[in-house]
Amino acid sequence: MQTLHLPAGRPRAYLNPYAAGVLLGLVLLATYALTGRGLGATAGFAAVATWLTGLVSPAAVQASAVHLKYWNDGAPWLNWTLFLLVGALVGAAWSARQAGRFSVGIERGPRISDGQRLALAFLGGFIAAWGAKLAKGCTSGQALTGSSILNAGSLVFLLAVFVAGFGLARFVRKEWL
């Protein structure tokens, strides 16, 4: 695996996870204060998917109540959560660069090829996206926003994520060790 590291030298220590949690909570609070809504990424992806669908078949968009919710007259950039996604990507890249941890590469365990890792990542992403659609919200929307307002369904979702993670770890850990 080839990795491109931009900053030379030793990377800085990770942020204390409790401090990061407090900062994330403050971002969530600010989002409520500024937008009246919590955090979540599903709407940004849905706006782009609706826009792409509209390029191919505007009639399909007009016939779908789901697509119409995100249509914004064919302008996905009118959906503020799209900016949330772009900001998260840019912010993560900037933070990694500042900490000396920015790299481009495919992280994987020694017993799996790059192709297998990418295939598993795509499959996992597809399952997560499908689950987000079924749950009417992504993990950030369900776990962060929903649990912050003590939504019972979101708390059950959060518990299910941890139970599934621990249950599957035994079967997928060979991919990393």
Side-chain angles (χ1 to χ4, degrees):
M1 173 179 88
Q2 289 185 326
T3 303
L4 168 69
H5 290 282
L6 291 179
R10 191 177 171 140
R12 286 192 249 164
Y14 288 108
L15 182 64
N16 178 303
Y18 298 109
V22 169
L23 290 173
L24 182 57
L26 292 173
V27 167
L28 181 59
L29 181 62
T31 305
Y32 270 116
L34 294 173
T35 68
R37 299 176 40 177
L39 293 171
T42 305
F45 287 111
V48 171
T50 298
W51 174 66
L52 292 172
T53 302
L55 292 175
V56 176
S57 176
V61 172
Q62 297 300 324
S64 170
V66 173
H67 284 315
L68 281 177
K69 181 179 175 184
Y70 301 104
W71 180 235
N72 291 327
D73 295 323
W77 53 88
L78 293 178
N79 189 314
W80 72 272
T81 58
L82 188 59
F83 291 100
L84 173 89
L85 295 174
V86 171
L89 180 66
V90 171
W94 179 78
S95 174
R97 175 119 166 64
Q98 292 298 99
R101 296 182 188 283
F102 188 92
S103 66
V104 176
I106 300 171
E107 292 189 24
R108 60 179 179 81
R111 295 186 205 139
I112 187 170
S113 71
D114 286 349
Q116 289 171 317
R117 172 65 178 115
L118 292 174
L120 287 172
F122 180 79
L123 177 65
F126 179 80
I127 291 170
W130 184 48
K133 191 63 181 165
L134 287 175
K136 297 188 178 181
C138 59
T139 53
S140 56
Q142 287 284 357
L144 293 174
T145 301
S147 64
S148 72
I149 59 172
L150 301 179
N151 181 313
S154 295
L155 294 171
V156 169
F157 168 80
L158 193 57
L159 178 66
V161 166
F162 282 103
V163 168
F166 281 113
L168 285 172
R170 179 177 181 196
F171 302 105
V172 298
R173 66 181 283 162
K174 68 179 173 69
E175 308 301 336
W176 293 101
L177 300 177

